Amino acid sequence: MNTETLILTHLMLHSGQKPGQIADAIGRTFSTVKNSLQGLTATGDVWYDAEARYYAAEQIGDCDEVYATLSDKAIGLQDRNLWYRAARVWLEAHDATQRPGLRQKAIICRAQCIKRGNSLAPKPEPEYPEKRSRSR
């Protein structure tokens, strides 16, 4: 298993732990766990409170069927570089669940899709008058 999967599995079973506790439990270094937690937080898979205790966005055994279906659809659209369509599906996934962790993940993923779509969208050409060269 990779570090991210180990962290998510551990947090699903033991939520509310600090990075040092997680590192000890999964057998990785503190810096590796800290870097992985930053990435997992950016994607909305984990979140942390004011005391730097981390929690999994989805607890073990809990599952929203509609949310899971929509998030799979959104990820499939992202894989095909259909960023704006994926952002729309993430919005639907957000509206389909009442769980705060999953709603936050949908918000983060939607924002990332919109940002990625905007960066790849064609930019309009500037409307400068043609420069004419005068030949004498």
Side-chain angles (χ1 to χ4, degrees), residues 75-90:
I75 291 169
L77 290 168
Q78 288 173 214
D79 291 341
R80 296 188 337 232
N81 291 326
L82 300 171
W83 299 105
Y84 294 128
R85 288 175 61 190
R88 177 69 187 152
V89 175
W90 279 118

PDB file of all heavy atoms in Angstrom, residues 75-90:
ATOM      1  N   ILE A  75     -14.804  11.772 -11.576  1.00  0.00           N
ATOM      2  CA  ILE A  75     -13.403  11.356 -11.754  1.00  0.00           C
ATOM      3  C   ILE A  75     -13.178  10.843 -13.168  1.00  0.00           C
ATOM      4  O   ILE A  75     -12.143  11.098 -13.789  1.00  0.00           O
ATOM      5  CB  ILE A  75     -13.011  10.335 -10.677  1.00  0.00           C
ATOM      6  CG1 ILE A  75     -12.964  11.026  -9.310  1.00  0.00           C
ATOM      7  CG2 ILE A  75     -11.679   9.674 -10.998  1.00  0.00           C
ATOM      8  CD1 ILE A  75     -12.846  10.093  -8.134  1.00  0.00           C
ATOM      9  N   GLY A  76     -14.157  10.120 -13.702  1.00  0.00           N
ATOM     10  CA  GLY A  76     -14.060   9.657 -15.084  1.00  0.00           C
ATOM     11  C   GLY A  76     -13.994  10.817 -16.070  1.00  0.00           C
ATOM     12  O   GLY A  76     -13.235  10.775 -17.048  1.00  0.00           O
ATOM     13  N   LEU A  77     -14.777  11.853 -15.823  1.00  0.00           N
ATOM     14  CA  LEU A  77     -14.731  13.045 -16.678  1.00  0.00           C
ATOM     15  C   LEU A  77     -13.390  13.751 -16.552  1.00  0.00           C
ATOM     16  O   LEU A  77     -12.834  14.243 -17.545  1.00  0.00           O
ATOM     17  CB  LEU A  77     -15.876  13.992 -16.321  1.00  0.00           C
ATOM     18  CG  LEU A  77     -17.279  13.504 -16.693  1.00  0.00           C
ATOM     19  CD1 LEU A  77     -18.332  14.382 -16.034  1.00  0.00           C
ATOM     20  CD2 LEU A  77     -17.453  13.464 -18.197  1.00  0.00           C
ATOM     21  N   GLN A  78     -12.847  13.813 -15.347  1.00  0.00           N
ATOM     22  CA  GLN A  78     -11.530  14.419 -15.140  1.00  0.00           C
ATOM     23  C   GLN A  78     -10.469  13.636 -15.907  1.00  0.00           C
ATOM     24  O   GLN A  78      -9.568  14.242 -16.504  1.00  0.00           O
ATOM     25  CB  GLN A  78     -11.182  14.445 -13.659  1.00  0.00           C
ATOM     26  CG  GLN A  78     -11.967  15.430 -12.852  1.00  0.00           C
ATOM     27  CD  GLN A  78     -11.708  15.311 -11.366  1.00  0.00           C
ATOM     28  OE1 GLN A  78     -12.608  15.533 -10.600  1.00  0.00           O
ATOM     29  NE2 GLN A  78     -10.516  14.975 -10.941  1.00  0.00           N
ATOM     30  N   ASP A  79     -10.566  12.325 -15.899  1.00  0.00           N
ATOM     31  CA  ASP A  79      -9.589  11.508 -16.617  1.00  0.00           C
ATOM     32  C   ASP A  79      -9.618  11.776 -18.118  1.00  0.00           C
ATOM     33  O   ASP A  79      -8.613  11.597 -18.804  1.00  0.00           O
ATOM     34  CB  ASP A  79      -9.839  10.020 -16.355  1.00  0.00           C
ATOM     35  CG  ASP A  79      -9.513   9.608 -14.930  1.00  0.00           C
ATOM     36  OD1 ASP A  79      -8.767  10.355 -14.240  1.00  0.00           O
ATOM     37  OD2 ASP A  79      -9.993   8.538 -14.495  1.00  0.00           O
ATOM     38  N   ARG A  80     -10.775  12.217 -18.624  1.00  0.00           N
ATOM     39  CA  ARG A  80     -10.915  12.537 -20.055  1.00  0.00           C
ATOM     40  C   ARG A  80     -10.712  14.024 -20.324  1.00  0.00           C
ATOM     41  O   ARG A  80     -10.993  14.502 -21.424  1.00  0.00           O
ATOM     42  CB  ARG A  80     -12.283  12.075 -20.552  1.00  0.00           C
ATOM     43  CG  ARG A  80     -12.436  10.572 -20.471  1.00  0.00           C
ATOM     44  CD  ARG A  80     -13.679  10.017 -21.120  1.00  0.00           C
ATOM     45  NE  ARG A  80     -14.792  10.928 -21.276  1.00  0.00           N
ATOM     46  CZ  ARG A  80     -16.029  10.686 -20.867  1.00  0.00           C
ATOM     47  NH1 ARG A  80     -16.308   9.551 -20.248  1.00  0.00           N
ATOM     48  NH2 ARG A  80     -16.985  11.559 -21.074  1.00  0.00           N
ATOM     49  N   ASN A  81     -10.243  14.768 -19.315  1.00  0.00           N
ATOM     50  CA  ASN A  81      -9.972  16.214 -19.423  1.00  0.00           C
ATOM     51  C   ASN A  81     -11.225  17.030 -19.726  1.00  0.00           C
ATOM     52  O   ASN A  81     -11.147  18.071 -20.366  1.00  0.00           O
ATOM     53  CB  ASN A  81      -8.883  16.508 -20.460  1.00  0.00           C
ATOM     54  CG  ASN A  81      -7.535  16.035 -19.998  1.00  0.00           C
ATOM     55  OD1 ASN A  81      -7.222  16.068 -18.817  1.00  0.00           O
ATOM     56  ND2 ASN A  81      -6.721  15.574 -20.938  1.00  0.00           N
ATOM     57  N   LEU A  82     -12.359  16.584 -19.238  1.00  0.00           N
ATOM     58  CA  LEU A  82     -13.608  17.334 -19.378  1.00  0.00           C
ATOM     59  C   LEU A  82     -13.862  18.043 -18.052  1.00  0.00           C
ATOM     60  O   LEU A  82     -14.730  17.671 -17.265  1.00  0.00           O
ATOM     61  CB  LEU A  82     -14.758  16.387 -19.747  1.00  0.00           C
ATOM     62  CG  LEU A  82     -14.554  15.620 -21.062  1.00  0.00           C
ATOM     63  CD1 LEU A  82     -15.616  14.565 -21.236  1.00  0.00           C
ATOM     64  CD2 LEU A  82     -14.529  16.576 -22.235  1.00  0.00           C
ATOM     65  N   TRP A  83     -13.088  19.089 -17.821  1.00  0.00           N
ATOM     66  CA  TRP A  83     -13.005  19.720 -16.507  1.00  0.00           C
ATOM     67  C   TRP A  83     -14.286  20.425 -16.096  1.00  0.00           C
ATOM     68  O   TRP A  83     -14.712  20.331 -14.951  1.00  0.00           O
ATOM     69  CB  TRP A  83     -11.814  20.660 -16.453  1.00  0.00           C
ATOM     70  CG  TRP A  83     -10.549  19.925 -16.668  1.00  0.00           C
ATOM     71  CD1 TRP A  83      -9.783  19.919 -17.801  1.00  0.00           C
ATOM     72  CD2 TRP A  83      -9.924  19.022 -15.765  1.00  0.00           C
ATOM     73  NE1 TRP A  83      -8.717  19.076 -17.639  1.00  0.00           N
ATOM     74  CE2 TRP A  83      -8.762  18.515 -16.394  1.00  0.00           C
ATOM     75  CE3 TRP A  83     -10.214  18.596 -14.468  1.00  0.00           C
ATOM     76  CZ2 TRP A  83      -7.907  17.614 -15.780  1.00  0.00           C
ATOM     77  CZ3 TRP A  83      -9.344  17.694 -13.859  1.00  0.00           C
ATOM     78  CH2 TRP A  83      -8.222  17.223 -14.515  1.00  0.00           C
ATOM     79  N   TYR A  84     -14.914  21.155 -17.015  1.00  0.00           N
ATOM     80  CA  TYR A  84     -16.132  21.885 -16.642  1.00  0.00           C
ATOM     81  C   TYR A  84     -17.296  20.927 -16.400  1.00  0.00           C
ATOM     82  O   TYR A  84     -18.112  21.157 -15.504  1.00  0.00           O
ATOM     83  CB  TYR A  84     -16.496  22.918 -17.706  1.00  0.00           C
ATOM     84  CG  TYR A  84     -15.492  24.041 -17.818  1.00  0.00           C
ATOM     85  CD1 TYR A  84     -14.932  24.388 -19.032  1.00  0.00           C
ATOM     86  CD2 TYR A  84     -15.099  24.765 -16.692  1.00  0.00           C
ATOM     87  CE1 TYR A  84     -14.014  25.417 -19.139  1.00  0.00           C
ATOM     88  CE2 TYR A  84     -14.177  25.788 -16.787  1.00  0.00           C
ATOM     89  CZ  TYR A  84     -13.639  26.114 -18.013  1.00  0.00           C
ATOM     90  OH  TYR A  84     -12.725  27.126 -18.099  1.00  0.00           O
ATOM     91  N   ARG A  85     -17.384  19.868 -17.178  1.00  0.00           N
ATOM     92  CA  ARG A  85     -18.433  18.875 -16.943  1.00  0.00           C
ATOM     93  C   ARG A  85     -18.208  18.177 -15.611  1.00  0.00           C
ATOM     94  O   ARG A  85     -19.148  17.903 -14.870  1.00  0.00           O
ATOM     95  CB  ARG A  85     -18.473  17.873 -18.093  1.00  0.00           C
ATOM     96  CG  ARG A  85     -19.040  18.489 -19.364  1.00  0.00           C
ATOM     97  CD  ARG A  85     -18.995  17.573 -20.544  1.00  0.00           C
ATOM     98  NE  ARG A  85     -19.780  16.372 -20.329  1.00  0.00           N
ATOM     99  CZ  ARG A  85     -19.747  15.320 -21.141  1.00  0.00           C
ATOM    100  NH1 ARG A  85     -18.977  15.345 -22.221  1.00  0.00           N
ATOM    101  NH2 ARG A  85     -20.479  14.266 -20.890  1.00  0.00           N
ATOM    102  N   ALA A  86     -16.947  17.891 -15.293  1.00  0.00           N
ATOM    103  CA  ALA A  86     -16.632  17.263 -14.005  1.00  0.00           C
ATOM    104  C   ALA A  86     -16.998  18.197 -12.858  1.00  0.00           C
ATOM    105  O   ALA A  86     -17.527  17.752 -11.833  1.00  0.00           O
ATOM    106  CB  ALA A  86     -15.147  16.895 -13.945  1.00  0.00           C
ATOM    107  N   ALA A  87     -16.756  19.492 -13.030  1.00  0.00           N
ATOM    108  CA  ALA A  87     -17.108  20.463 -11.984  1.00  0.00           C
ATOM    109  C   ALA A  87     -18.614  20.466 -11.739  1.00  0.00           C
ATOM    110  O   ALA A  87     -19.068  20.545 -10.593  1.00  0.00           O
ATOM    111  CB  ALA A  87     -16.632  21.859 -12.384  1.00  0.00           C
ATOM    112  N   ARG A  88     -19.389  20.341 -12.802  1.00  0.00           N
ATOM    113  CA  ARG A  88     -20.851  20.300 -12.656  1.00  0.00           C
ATOM    114  C   ARG A  88     -21.287  19.048 -11.894  1.00  0.00           C
ATOM    115  O   ARG A  88     -22.168  19.106 -11.040  1.00  0.00           O
ATOM    116  CB  ARG A  88     -21.505  20.346 -14.052  1.00  0.00           C
ATOM    117  CG  ARG A  88     -22.987  20.230 -14.027  1.00  0.00           C
ATOM    118  CD  ARG A  88     -23.607  21.456 -13.414  1.00  0.00           C
ATOM    119  NE  ARG A  88     -25.032  21.209 -13.254  1.00  0.00           N
ATOM    120  CZ  ARG A  88     -25.776  21.769 -12.336  1.00  0.00           C
ATOM    121  NH1 ARG A  88     -25.262  22.646 -11.516  1.00  0.00           N
ATOM    122  NH2 ARG A  88     -27.039  21.481 -12.235  1.00  0.00           N
ATOM    123  N   VAL A  89     -20.648  17.917 -12.176  1.00  0.00           N
ATOM    124  CA  VAL A  89     -20.995  16.667 -11.487  1.00  0.00           C
ATOM    125  C   VAL A  89     -20.583  16.739 -10.021  1.00  0.00           C
ATOM    126  O   VAL A  89     -21.293  16.245  -9.142  1.00  0.00           O
ATOM    127  CB  VAL A  89     -20.372  15.453 -12.209  1.00  0.00           C
ATOM    128  CG1 VAL A  89     -20.609  14.175 -11.438  1.00  0.00           C
ATOM    129  CG2 VAL A  89     -20.944  15.318 -13.618  1.00  0.00           C
ATOM    130  N   TRP A  90     -19.449  17.393  -9.722  1.00  0.00           N
ATOM    131  CA  TRP A  90     -19.055  17.563  -8.318  1.00  0.00           C
ATOM    132  C   TRP A  90     -20.088  18.404  -7.573  1.00  0.00           C
ATOM    133  O   TRP A  90     -20.363  18.169  -6.402  1.00  0.00           O
ATOM    134  CB  TRP A  90     -17.671  18.191  -8.204  1.00  0.00           C
ATOM    135  CG  TRP A  90     -16.546  17.222  -8.367  1.00  0.00           C
ATOM    136  CD1 TRP A  90     -15.594  17.223  -9.338  1.00  0.00           C
ATOM    137  CD2 TRP A  90     -16.264  16.086  -7.540  1.00  0.00           C
ATOM    138  NE1 TRP A  90     -14.750  16.158  -9.172  1.00  0.00           N
ATOM    139  CE2 TRP A  90     -15.132  15.449  -8.072  1.00  0.00           C
ATOM    140  CE3 TRP A  90     -16.865  15.539  -6.410  1.00  0.00           C
ATOM    141  CZ2 TRP A  90     -14.585  14.304  -7.506  1.00  0.00           C
ATOM    142  CZ3 TRP A  90     -16.320  14.393  -5.841  1.00  0.00           C
ATOM    143  CH2 TRP A  90     -15.196  13.790  -6.391  1.00  0.00           C
TER     144      TRP A  90
END
